[in-house]
Amino acid sequence: MIPASAYTGVYYNILLTIVLITAFWFRYANNDRILIFFCRWFGWLFLLFVVLYMGMRPISHVYFGDMGNYARDFQSAQISGKLMSYGLKEWFFTKYIFYCSLYMNVNSWFLLTTALYVGLAALAFRIVHKDYAYVAFLMYVASFSFWSYGTNGIRNGLAVAVALLGMACRERKWLMASLFFLAPTIHRSTLIPVAAFVMTIFFKRPRFYLLGYVLAIILSVTMGGWWQVFFVKTGLFSEDARFIQYLTKPAQEGVFSRIGFRWDFLLYSLWPIVTGWYYLVKKRFQDPFYTQLFNAYIAANAFWILVIRANYSNRIAFLSWFMMSWVIIYPLLKEKLFVRQNAVIARTLVAYFAFTYFMFMIKRGSF
C-alpha cells in the first residue's frame, strides 16, 4: 500500500503524531490512574503498530540497505537447503536464518525478526518500569538509530535487543549471563556493550568512568587514527573481518556523512552523560541499576570515541547509543524529582524526538 520510497517518511510522521499525543497527555493529565491506563492500552497499540509497520515493509536494497542482502541470503538457503554461515562465532544467527527458511517465506521472516527486535526491547522496559514501560519504550523507538537498525543493520539491531533484555534481567544472574552469551552469537559487536555492563559490576563509581571518558576524548583528538591500529594489533577482533575492515580501511566520505573527528556526534553523545550526572549529583538519585546503566553507556561510548574516524563508525556508536534514551528517561519513571514531573517527561520526550526528526529531514534534503 505504501511504496518503499515513501515508507520511512510515513513512519516518521506517524511517530511524530504519537510523540505529540503522548506529550500532550502527560502534560495535561492530572490523575496517575488515567496516565497508567493510557500507558497500558496505548502502549500495546503502539507496540503492535511498530512491529507490523516495520516488519511488513517492502523488500528493498535501495531504501533499506542491508535488507536486500538478508533477503538474498534467506532465499539462497531456501533454494540450496544448506546452512548459510555468518561466521563460527555468530552461529546462532546462522542457524536462525537457516531453520526459518525451512518453514516460512522471506516476508514472514522479516516480520518475525522485527517482532523480536521490537518485542525484546519492550519486554526489557516492562520488567524494569512496569506500568510506565510505554514511555521508556517510546523514547527507545524515538531514538536516532532505532529505525535504521530495524530495517538496515538488522542483525546488529537484534543482537542489541538481546543485550538490552540481559541488562534488564540483572537481578536474575543466570538469565542475564545467558542473554549476554547469546547476543554476540548474533552479532559479535555486542561484546562491547556486554563487556561494558559486566565491568560496571566490579567498578561502580561514576567518577571513574567520567574521568576515563574525558581521557578518551583527549587521546582520540591528539593521537588520531593510532587507536584503530592499536585495537587491530591486540587481536581482540581478529575473527571479525568486517570490524577489522572498518578500523583499517582508509575513511571514505559518505560512509558516515563526513570523515574525521565528529564533534557534532560527540555533543549528541554527551546528552545522556550530562543528564545522568544531573540526576546522580544534583538530584541525588540513587538506584543501583541506573548507576550501572549510566556507567555502561559511558564505557561503550568511550570506545567509539577512540575509533571515531573509522569507516561506519556510526555502527560502533550504536553500541552505546541504544542505551541513550534509557539513561535520559529512567530516573523520571522511577522517582519524583520535579514538582511538575509529568510536564518534564513530556518536554524530554519531545526534545529527544526532535533531534531524530531533524536528522531525518536533513537526510531527506528538507534542510
Side-chain angles (χ1 to χ4, degrees):
M1 294 176 63
I2 303 173
S5 58
Y7 211 80
T8 300
V10 171
Y11 166 79
Y12 275 114
N13 283 293
I14 292 175
L15 187 56
L16 172 62
T17 303
I18 293 171
V19 166
L20 293 177
I21 290 173
T22 304
F24 180 86
W25 201 275
F26 267 80
R27 175 65 178 80
Y28 293 104
N30 54 11
N31 187 303
D32 287 341
R33 290 180 62 184
I34 295 176
L35 280 176
I36 291 174
F37 178 82
F38 172 81
C39 287
R40 282 179 180 173
W41 293 104
F42 200 76
W44 281 111
L45 292 173
F46 179 63
L47 173 63
L48 184 62
F49 160 73
V50 176
V51 170
L52 292 180
Y53 189 86
M54 180 183 285
M56 298 178 72
R57 67 194 180 276
I59 296 174
S60 172
H61 182 83
V62 176
Y63 295 103
F64 300 121
D66 286 344
M67 183 185 188
N69 296 330
Y70 287 113
R72 180 198 62 209
D73 292 346
F74 185 93
Q75 292 167 335
S76 176
Q78 277 188 316
I79 295 170
S80 67
K82 295 181 180 179
L83 202 65
M84 298 294 301
S85 178
Y86 286 86
L88 293 176
K89 298 296 184 179
E90 293 167 332
W91 57 267
F92 183 85
F93 190 83
T94 298
K95 292 181 181 297
Y96 167 68
I97 197 170
F98 173 73
Y99 286 113
C100 284
S101 72
L102 300 178
Y103 303 103
M104 61 181 67
N105 61 33
V106 66
N107 299 94
S108 299
W109 181 78
F110 278 119
L111 180 59
L112 173 62
T113 304
T114 300
L116 291 172
Y117 171 61
V118 177
L120 293 177
L123 178 58
F125 299 127
R126 177 67 181 174
I127 291 171
V128 176
H129 296 291
K130 306 295 188 297
D131 291 332
Y132 288 99
Y134 163 66
V135 182
F137 177 62
L138 179 57
M139 279 281 289
Y140 184 72
V141 173
S143 297
F144 171 56
S145 300
F146 176 81
W147 177 259
S148 175
Y149 283 89
T151 60
N152 177 15
I154 296 170
R155 189 157 55 96
N156 197 351
L158 180 59
V160 156
V162 173
L164 193 73
L165 182 58
M167 294 176 185
C169 296
R170 62 181 287 273
E171 294 183 356
R172 304 171 188 174
K173 302 299 184 186
W174 65 270
L175 184 55
M176 179 185 72
S178 299
L179 292 167
F180 279 174
F181 171 80
L182 178 62
T185 66
I186 299 172
H187 201 287
R188 276 179 59 81
S189 65
T190 49
L191 284 171
I192 293 171
V194 165
F197 195 83
V198 171
M199 184 170 65
T200 65
I201 298 173
F202 305 99
F203 302 97
K204 300 180 179 180
R205 298 182 64 183
R207 182 177 298 179
F208 167 81
Y209 294 90
L210 289 169
L211 290 174
Y213 192 79
V214 173
L215 180 62
I217 295 173
I218 295 172
L219 291 176
S220 182
V221 171
T222 57
M223 301 179 71
W226 183 88
W227 289 102
Q228 291 152 229
V229 177
F230 170 77
F231 284 119
V232 170
K233 288 184 176 180
T234 61
L236 293 174
F237 308 101
S238 58
E239 297 182 27
D240 193 334
R242 296 182 311 276
F243 198 82
I244 294 295
Q245 288 183 348
Y246 295 165
L247 296 180
T248 57
K249 272 191 172 183
Q252 302 171 26
E253 194 78 40
V255 169
F256 184 22
S257 299
R258 298 196 309 274
I259 58 175
F261 194 94
R262 295 302 305 267
W263 289 102
D264 50 351
F265 279 104
L266 173 60
L267 292 175
Y268 175 65
S269 298
L270 283 172
W271 186 357
I273 295 176
V274 173
T275 304
W277 175 86
Y278 178 78
Y279 292 143
L280 293 171
V281 177
K282 294 298 182 180
K283 290 296 183 179
R284 299 187 181 280
F285 177 69
Q286 295 183 354
D287 184 292
F289 177 58
Y290 182 72
T291 302
Q292 273 192 273
L293 189 66
F294 177 72
N295 291 342
Y297 171 81
I298 295 175
N301 195 253
F303 177 83
W304 167 65
I305 287 174
L306 291 175
V307 297
I308 199 170
R309 296 172 178 81
N311 279 315
Y312 296 101
S313 73
N314 59 319
R315 298 192 176 190
I316 304 172
F318 176 65
L319 300 174
S320 57
W321 284 352
F322 78 93
M323 294 181 272
M324 178 181 289
S325 64
W326 213 0
V327 174
I328 292 171
I329 200 66
Y330 183 106
L332 298 177
L333 303 179
K334 279 291 184 178
E335 188 176 306
K336 190 171 180 61
L337 302 174
F338 301 93
V339 176
R340 301 181 64 190
Q341 182 132 320
N342 288 340
V344 175
I345 292 174
R347 288 195 294 267
T348 301
L349 180 57
V350 171
Y352 187 73
F353 181 66
F355 176 84
T356 299
Y357 195 80
F358 178 70
M359 293 301 296
F360 159 67
M361 296 295 283
I362 289 178
K363 187 174 181 179
R364 198 175 69 169
S366 298
F367 287 102

